[in-house]
Amino acid sequence: MNEKVRLAVFVSGGGSNLQSIMDNCSAGNIDAEVVLVLSNKKKAYGLVRASEAGIDTVVYKRKKFSNGNEADEFLLNLLDEYRIDIIVLAGYLKMIAPPVIDKYRGRIVNIHPGTLPKYGGKGMFGSRVHKAVIEAGEKETAVTIHYVDEIYDHGQIMAERKIPVLPDDTPDELAARVLKVEHELYPEVIKFLVEKYRKES
Ligand code: GAR
């Protein structure tokens, strides 16, 4: 396979993880390219980052379709059209529909800014995770990267890196320390997945 592995990155917010993935692809650390960035929010700054890098973007809102099947079909067709090999969820806060998970099983990954399963599940995302960790008096938190399956924050864990929680941390301070680790760990895991995919296909 001479062509680069083709990544779709799904975002809902700032897209700092997207940026680190794009940067690592451009630097040749990951032998892949981001060819599509999808967001459920049209104002997500991640879409701006993608456009600035010349990457196609799509706003995908399931509510805009007349039913779930149509929404699934649109997404599956889009991923086919872009010949996507691997889907990377980078701060994407919506569930992925079962037909998409099924088609890309073992090729969809998610990053979570806390320990799983303890600080995961529906409603546990972004600053809510950091707030809960601080309120529980935890001494440590983690960045967790996992395969995506049909249950929210549940798929097999691929990597976990512990991060200390400091006595006076605010959720924002903790988030900043965690994000820094995310920007290192996610590219490493994606590199691993890209190489695995190359060997197997
Ligand atoms: C990241 O901290 C990511 O782990 C988290 O959203 C943030 C997105 O930041 N994801 C979740 O909470 C998923 N449950 P970014 O848009 O700057 O990459």
Side-chain angles (χ1 to χ4, degrees), residues 91 93 110-116 119 124-130 133 141-145 153 163 174-175 178-179 182:
L93 303 179
N110 181 43
I111 189 161
H112 186 75
T115 309
L116 288 178
Y119 289 99
M124 265 298 195
F125 55 82
S127 60
R128 294 190 192 185
V129 176
H130 306 304
V133 166
T141 186
V143 168
T144 311
I145 297 167
D153 287 339
I163 298 152
L174 185 56
V178 169
L179 260 185
E182 293 188 38

Side-chain angles (χ1 to χ4, degrees), residues 1-6 31 33 83 85 198:
M1 197 205 251
N2 292 322
E3 209 193 37
K4 281 187 187 289
V5 171
R6 297 169 68 82
D31 193 14
E33 60 183 330
R83 292 183 287 115
D85 299 310
R198 268 189 186 286

Side-chain angles (χ1 to χ4, degrees), residues 115 140-143 160-164 181:
T115 309
E140 263 184 351
T141 186
V143 168
E160 183 194 65
R161 194 164 287 171
K162 299 278 189 201
I163 298 152
V181 175

Side-chain angles (χ1 to χ4, degrees), residues 15-137:
S16 67
N17 278 289
L18 164 68
Q19 189 69 54
S20 88
I21 295 161
M22 293 189 301
D23 291 348
N24 274 278
C25 288
S26 311
N29 299 334
I30 303 173
D31 193 14
E33 60 183 330
V34 179
V35 295
L36 179 67
V37 173
L38 176 148
S39 177
N40 59 309
K41 291 199 175 151
K42 74 169 190 287
K43 292 201 170 145
Y45 187 64
L47 293 176
V48 176
R49 293 180 191 268
S51 298
E52 281 174 356
I55 296 167
D56 286 0
T57 61
V58 170
V59 176
Y60 174 69
K61 290 181 189 280
R62 291 181 65 84
K63 278 191 288 192
K64 295 253 157 127
F65 296 88
S66 48
N67 58 57
N69 287 346
E70 265 187 28
D72 294 351
E73 201 181 316
F74 172 87
L75 183 53
L76 286 166
N77 285 339
L78 181 73
L79 296 168
D80 265 358
E81 189 191 320
Y82 277 86
R83 292 183 287 115
I84 298 303
D85 299 310
I86 293 172
I87 302 172
V88 176
L89 307 185
Y92 186 68
L93 303 179
K94 292 281 180 188
M95 284 292 282
I96 303 293
V100 178
I101 293 175
D102 202 36
K103 179 157 181 204
Y104 288 86
R105 199 172 299 283
R107 298 188 285 138
I108 312 189
V109 284
N110 181 43
I111 189 161
H112 186 75
T115 309
L116 288 178
K118 191 167 181 190
Y119 289 99
K122 251 200 140 157
M124 265 298 195
F125 55 82
S127 60
R128 294 190 192 185
V129 176
H130 306 304
K131 199 163 172 279
V133 166
I134 290 171
E135 279 173 6

